[in-house]
Amino acid sequence: MTRRIKLISAILPMAVTLGPVGIWLSAEPARAQDAHHDDAPYAQQYENHITVRGDHTATNVITQRFKILTQSAIASLSQQKLTFVEGMQTLDTVEAYTAKADGRRVPVPAKNILTQDAAPELPGIYFRDLKQRTIIFSDVGVGDTLVMTHKRETAKGKIFKQFVESLQFPRSSAYTSAKVTVEAPVSVSLRVKATGNGAVETIDESGGHRRHTIVITPASYAPEETGAVSALDRDPAVLMSTYNSYEELGSMYGRTAL
C-alpha cells in the first residue's frame, strides 16, 4: 500500500503542495539545530496541520520559518513562491514577516504579496488555472528569520474526487524540524504513511476522529547531487490518500473523462 500511495501521489499534478514549513522552536533547541546544519546557507522549520473532511475536501494550515545563515541565502529566500490551482484551491496568506535578529518584526506589506498565472506560456486548461503566490520579504539580513503562515482550502476535484497529497523533506532543503498533523473522521478511509529515516508517527482517536502526528528529525544538510535518485526514494516523506487502489483511481478518472 505504501508503494501505491507513493505512485498515486506522484502522478497527480492536481495535488499541488506548499513547500517547506515550520515554527515553534525555542532559542536553545534552535542553536543546537543550527550547529547540526552548519554547512547550510539557511535553516528551515516546517509545521502543517491538515484537516480532511468526510466529503474529501481539506484544509491545510502551514507555517514556515527560514533562518538566514549566510549572505548568499538572502536573494534566494527573500522571495517565496507558492502555487495553487484556482477553482480547486484557495490560498490565504495569514501572516508573513521578517523576524529580525534584534527582536523586531517587519511585516510584509500587502503590495508585496502578489498572485499571478504560474505558467502563462503553457497550453492546457490545468496550466491556465495554476496560480503563483509570491511573498516578497524586506529588510532581510544574516541572522534574521522569514516567517509565513498560509491557509489552503482544497475543494472536491472535478476529476479526482478523493483526497491525495504528498509532502517531501529532502536533506538539501536544510530542514531542522518538521511536524505534520493529519486528522479526519474515522469514517473516512484515509491512509497516512510516513517514510524515510527520522520519521516517527503516532495515532490517536477521539470524538469520532483519527489523528496522525508525524514528527521528523531531519538528517544533516546535504546539497543535491547531479543524477541523484528522487528525494521521495531516499528522504523522509508523508503520503496521504483515500484511494484504495490504482484500479479505483483509474476508474474514477476514466468515468469522468468519458
Side-chain angles (χ1 to χ4, degrees):
M1 181 56 68
T2 300
R3 179 176 177 274
R4 286 180 172 179
I5 296 177
K6 178 189 294 187
L7 294 174
I8 288 172
S9 299
I11 68 171
L12 291 182
M14 277 60 167
V16 176
T17 60
L18 299 177
V21 171
I23 196 169
W24 324 132
L25 224 60
S26 63
E28 290 186 2
R31 286 199 295 269
Q33 289 165 340
D34 288 349
H36 184 59
H37 287 67
D38 55 5
D39 293 331
Y42 62 93
Q44 178 180 177
Q45 301 165 261
Y46 177 99
E47 186 160 320
N48 190 347
H49 192 117
I50 304 171
T51 302
V52 181
R53 292 176 282 272
D55 60 357
H56 296 152
T57 62
T59 300
N60 292 51
V61 178
I62 306 167
T63 299
Q64 300 170 254
R65 285 192 168 209
F66 301 90
K67 184 171 183 178
I68 306 297
L69 301 180
T70 65
Q71 190 71 29
S72 63
I74 296 176
S76 60
L77 293 178
S78 59
Q79 291 193 21
Q80 291 291 318
K81 301 181 185 297
L82 312 170
T83 55
F84 64 99
V85 182
E86 190 175 54
M88 291 177 59
Q89 298 169 321
T90 61
L91 181 64
D92 295 324
T93 301
V94 179
E95 66 174 356
Y97 61 90
T98 302
K100 301 294 292 179
D102 61 10
R104 290 180 296 120
R105 178 183 293 196
V106 181
V108 175
K111 66 179 182 179
N112 284 12
I113 302 176
L114 311 173
T115 302
Q116 58 192 31
D117 291 340
E121 75 284 359
L122 296 176
I125 294 174
Y126 167 71
F127 290 110
R128 291 202 298 269
D129 291 342
L130 189 63
K131 303 299 178 182
Q132 178 175 279
R133 173 74 47 80
T134 302
I135 313 294
I136 304 173
F137 292 85
S138 57
D139 192 12
V140 180
V142 174
D144 295 345
T145 301
L146 311 182
V147 183
M148 58 184 185
T149 298
H150 295 87
K151 181 179 181 181
R152 189 185 75 202
E153 296 283 353
T154 302
K156 182 180 293 186
K158 295 179 180 178
I159 296 177
F160 300 104
K161 301 182 185 300
Q162 297 198 43
F163 175 81
V164 59
E165 185 163 348
S166 65
L167 302 171
Q168 300 179 38
F169 301 91
R171 293 176 63 185
S172 59
S173 292
Y175 288 97
T176 59
S177 67
K179 180 180 179 181
V180 179
T181 304
V182 189
E183 57 181 335
V186 174
S187 58
V188 173
S189 180
L190 176 64
R191 290 163 175 78
V192 179
K193 180 68 176 179
T195 67
N197 295 328
V200 177
E201 178 181 7
T202 58
I203 303 173
D204 62 86
E205 292 185 12
S206 64
H209 284 73
R210 180 179 293 114
R211 179 180 294 105
H212 302 256
T213 303
I214 299 101
V215 175
I216 296 172
T217 303
S220 58
Y221 167 78
E224 286 292 339
E225 297 181 5
T226 302
V229 299
S230 169
L232 192 59
D233 292 317
R234 56 183 167 83
D235 291 322
V238 180
L239 312 170
M240 297 153 272
S241 178
T242 55
Y243 286 103
N244 293 308
S245 65
Y246 258 120
E247 291 76 14
E248 184 178 6
L249 171 62
S251 177
M252 176 72 72
Y253 181 89
R255 288 197 305 269
T256 306
L258 289 173

